[in-house]
Amino acid sequence: MTNNNIQTLLREIPGVDSLLEKIKNSPDFKNIPLSVVKSSIREVLERIRTSILNGVIGEKEVYCDAINDKVILHEKIIQDVLIYAKETIAPRLVPTINATGVVLHTNLGRSLLCQDALERINQIAAGFSNLEFDIKKGKRGERYSAIEQILCELTGAESAMAVNNNAGAVFLCLNTLARDCEVVVSRGELVEIGGSFRIPDVMEKSGCKLKEVGTTNRTHLRDYESAIIDKTALLLKVHTSNYTIEGFTASVPLTELALLGKKHNLPVMEDLGSGSLIDLSKYGLAREPTVSDVVLSGADVVTFSGDKLLGGPQAGLIVGRADVIKRIKSNPLTRALRIDKLTLAALEATLNLYRDEMQAIKKIPTLRMLTMPFDETVERANKLINDINLKIESMGIEDRVVVGYADLSSRTGGGSYPEYSIPSRCVTIDPKSISASLLEKKMRLYKPSIIGRIDNNRFIVDPRTLQKGEDQIICNALADILNRE
Ligand SMILES: *Cc1c(COP(=O)(O)O)cnc(C)c1O
């Protein structure tokens, strides 16, 4: 394109004010703030300008026809401004459909809250509450009073508190109990949880010195004992919840470490990570120590997450001996890590369900998904296959896909069980007109976003992690995507 042509095209671009005048009374823009409309106009005009300068417009692009007709051109620009403005004000944090079968999916928000928790959040968020007010005494109360008693009841601990998340809980405990001192920990337990949570890094930031003992695969009681010096302040065990070491291994049971702690007058802490309150082995999952097990084994302080196996809101729970918890509560850092009232409301409601185990299993989404029997996944997979087939037949596009099933496995995820998998019947979707990976992408970009996985060149939907009504959305999305191919 010649320079002259470019100049002519550039002159066709309308000004911000003339577009604004046209848009002002358009019902399409009624709920879009003026500032957003203005910035969207500028953005769209800038893009057109760039396209012209790059020689795209005037040759092959959509604006090609429009550029010769002012009315069409303005309409086209206004359409694009509307799209851009709507995208600008649309929420970035949006619901997604988890078809991966990973129950505690860290990237997809870990635990879903139970209905009771949602209702309590609504109540507490909308009004004033006794968050830090003792109603009986008529004076300042403690933030933890909503959950302390029930946590003690459910775990057998003497005292309890909660902070923002478990990484915070570990940090706070170490800082309180061992700042400027040494913490003895086994080399086999120096874990990285994901994101950037590494036990050694957190320890360093909390002001204590790590004393590593033993080897990656074997650590003995004598290793701990010979590491104890005057500057030792804490013996730490970290539950290796996201991996297992197999083969020639040895680790020291907490009961023995607790006795060693007593002998040397040192507190013993366990970072349990996932922290289940009930024994899930009854429901076919692997046996993992529960929080009560750890308390009973003699740990002076135990930390665990609120939104892993517990199935509540993001929180870091700390339970243990009364005098130890008291020290932690009075650390000024609790202020920086404190749990907020919405979380507290949700946590109290979730914990309350644990007073009746069957109720907890039924009502807490994480537990319901984890304990869903294989037969139920078969039922749900069959229903989804049937729904998809009916839908694509009704649209006459049944030749574009082969829908079947495969017996695969779901995973607990979220650093909760060591690579533990649960048998699950999954729906396999094998598109004929596009590749499985393109289908995966299209499902992911769909609104709402549907996150699945690829296995053996098929798109996999695991019914275990699907919530009510999501089958239908998947069915419609798939039909919609295939229909456009
Ligand atoms: C997950 C985990 C943490 C971190 O907990 P968050 O709630 O994610 O902060 C710490 N320690 C262990 C052993 C964990 O498994």
Side-chain angles (χ1 to χ4, degrees), residues 330-361:
S330 57
N331 186 332
L333 275 173
T334 52
R335 178 62 190 244
L337 294 164
R338 75 180 183 184
I339 187 168
D340 77 288
K341 61 183 178 180
L342 308 190
T343 308
L344 208 48
L347 187 59
E348 185 185 16
T350 310
L351 290 173
N352 193 36
L353 290 176
Y354 277 97
R355 287 184 159 134
D356 173 351
E357 188 173 313
M358 283 323 293
Q359 190 180 232
I361 295 280

Side-chain angles (χ1 to χ4, degrees), residues 106 110 164-170 191 193 197 199 238-242 271-275 303-308 314-316 414-416:
T106 305
R110 274 205 205 154
N164 179 61
N165 63 354
N166 189 37
V170 172
V191 301
I193 309 298
F197 184 83
I199 284 289
V238 181
H239 186 56
T240 54
S241 51
N242 55 2
D271 172 23
L272 195 49
S274 50
T303 57
F304 55 103
S305 289
D307 58 344
K308 286 186 180 168
Q314 177 192 305
S416 50

Side-chain angles (χ1 to χ4, degrees), residues 192 198 296 367:
E192 171 176 312
R198 284 180 165 179
L296 206 62
L367 297 184

Side-chain angles (χ1 to χ4, degrees), residues 161-180:
M161 64 182 290
V163 292
N164 179 61
N165 63 354
N166 189 37
V170 172
F171 178 82
L172 181 65
C173 291
L174 293 176
N175 180 273
T176 310
L177 303 173
R179 191 167 52 102
D180 299 330

